[in-house]
């Protein structure tokens, strides 16, 4: 509720949304599984449901950032795990360079994943964009506001981009190697054009509204 109230207040400034960059990473596996570490399944009772998954399937970790009019990415992390250091390297050497090529007046959002919480990452954000970043923060951090813990799928990356890419990547015949998988991911992301993002960003504003209307409760049914 605190986060949504803050967002609604900031959104009263007509320039706020146009400056906001939403971002996230996802893991795509050759087996067809898309890891969504922050997904929640809400229910009134245990569904007694099981799902089979292939262990140790080859995978790629992909990062994207989404303003109102384009998608920055994909950025493919090296290795099987995203660490605080590799995430920081991406911010320094790719994302902020790309963002600043278009504008120096942006607000960067990230969620509370462990690599984003790394001390070096927060130190970098405090120095480069003080009061212009949103994310999990400590008492001394110079963030614009804190990203809520275990938030529902509020961002364009969560409820639009990841599903769109998955639907275009995992089309038979399925990719057979990581190069093919990366190519399909890149092609899918490059096919997202600005007019597709307009309703997605309208949905973001709507989700903030209904989260407030729900008093911070479940919004998946609305």
């Amino acid at each position: 509720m605190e986060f949504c109230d803050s967002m609604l207040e900031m959104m009263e400034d007509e320039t706020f949304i146009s400056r906001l960059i939403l971002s996230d990473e996802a893991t795509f596996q050759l087996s067809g599984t898309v890891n969504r570490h922050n997904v929640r399944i809400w229910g009134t009772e245990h569904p007694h449901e099981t799902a089979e998954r292939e262990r140790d399937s080859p995978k790629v970790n992909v990062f994207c950032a989404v303003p109102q009019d384009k998608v920055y990415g994909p950025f493919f992390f090296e290795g099987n795990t995203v660490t605080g250091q590799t995430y920081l390297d991406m911010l320094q050497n790719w994302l902020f360079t790309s963002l600043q090529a278009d504008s120096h007046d942006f607000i960067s959002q990230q969620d509370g994943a462990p690599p984003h919480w790394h001390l070096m990452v927060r130190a970098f954000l405090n120095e480069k964009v003080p009061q212009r970043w949103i994310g999990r923060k400590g008492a001394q951090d110079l963030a614009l506001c804190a990203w809520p813990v275990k938030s529902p799928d509020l961002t364009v990356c969560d409820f639009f981009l990841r599903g769109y890419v998955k639907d275009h990547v995992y089309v038979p015949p399925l990719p057979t190697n990581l190069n093919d998988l990366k190519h399909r991911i890149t092609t899918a992301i490059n096919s997202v054009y600005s007019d597709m993002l307009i309703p997605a960003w309208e949905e973001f504003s709507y989700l903030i509204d209904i989260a407030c209307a729900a008093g911070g409760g479940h919004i998946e049914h609305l």
Side-chain angles (χ1 to χ4, degrees):
M1 282 297 295
E2 290 177 3
F3 169 77
C4 291
D5 285 341
S6 296
M7 288 296 294
L8 287 175
E9 182 178 346
M10 290 185 287
M11 287 163 62
E12 292 178 3
D13 178 354
E14 295 181 356
T15 68
F16 175 74
I17 288 293
S18 65
R19 299 164 58 211
L20 184 58
I21 312 292
L22 300 175
S23 69
D24 200 7
E25 59 259 20
T27 302
F28 287 77
Q29 300 182 349
L30 277 180
S31 63
T33 300
V34 180
N35 178 34
R36 300 182 64 182
H37 63 82
N38 62 346
V39 73
R40 300 289 181 265
I41 300 175
W42 304 106
T44 56
E45 59 184 37
H46 195 289
H48 302 290
E49 185 175 295
T50 60
E52 247 182 69
R53 293 187 179 178
E54 178 183 343
R55 290 179 60 90
D56 303 320
S57 171
K59 61 186 180 181
V60 292
N61 295 305
V62 188
F63 177 92
C64 288
V66 186
Q68 279 191 308
D69 60 350
K70 65 188 294 185
V71 178
Y72 291 92
F75 179 91
F76 296 102
F77 289 98
E78 296 293 334
N80 290 328
T81 304
V82 180
T83 66
Q85 184 61 60
T86 57
Y87 183 75
L88 175 62
D89 291 342
M90 182 275 297
L91 292 180
Q92 291 176 323
N93 300 323
W94 177 74
L95 180 60
F96 275 54
T97 300
S98 301
L99 295 178
Q100 289 170 348
D102 293 330
S103 172
H104 286 269
D105 185 23
F106 60 85
I107 298 167
S108 178
Q109 173 273 338
Q110 61 182 23
D111 64 22
H116 307 168
W117 174 243
H118 196 284
L119 183 60
M120 290 191 301
V121 170
R122 290 183 285 135
F124 171 77
L125 294 172
N126 290 333
E127 178 186 355
K128 295 298 182 181
V129 284
Q131 301 301 328
R132 290 198 290 118
W133 66 276
I134 297 171
R136 183 183 176 190
K137 70 184 188 74
Q140 304 302 315
D141 287 326
L142 304 177
L144 181 62
C145 68
W147 188 253
V149 177
K150 295 183 179 179
S151 66
D153 291 341
L154 289 175
T155 77
V156 174
C157 299
D158 290 322
F159 64 77
F160 165 67
L161 184 63
R162 187 182 288 111
Y164 175 86
V165 174
K166 176 183 177 182
D167 289 344
H168 285 71
V169 167
Y170 296 117
V171 176
L174 296 179
T176 58
N177 57 66
L178 292 183
N179 286 335
D180 187 14
L181 180 61
K182 288 181 179 181
H183 176 73
R184 292 195 188 196
I185 292 170
T186 302
T187 300
I189 290 173
N190 288 342
S191 71
V192 177
Y193 51 90
S194 59
D195 286 351
M196 296 170 60
L197 294 173
I198 293 173
W201 274 90
E202 291 173 348
E203 182 75 4
F204 171 71
S205 299
Y206 171 71
L207 289 175
I208 297 294
D209 276 330
I210 65 171
C212 285
H218 300 168
I219 62 174
E220 285 75 8
H221 62 291
L222 297 176

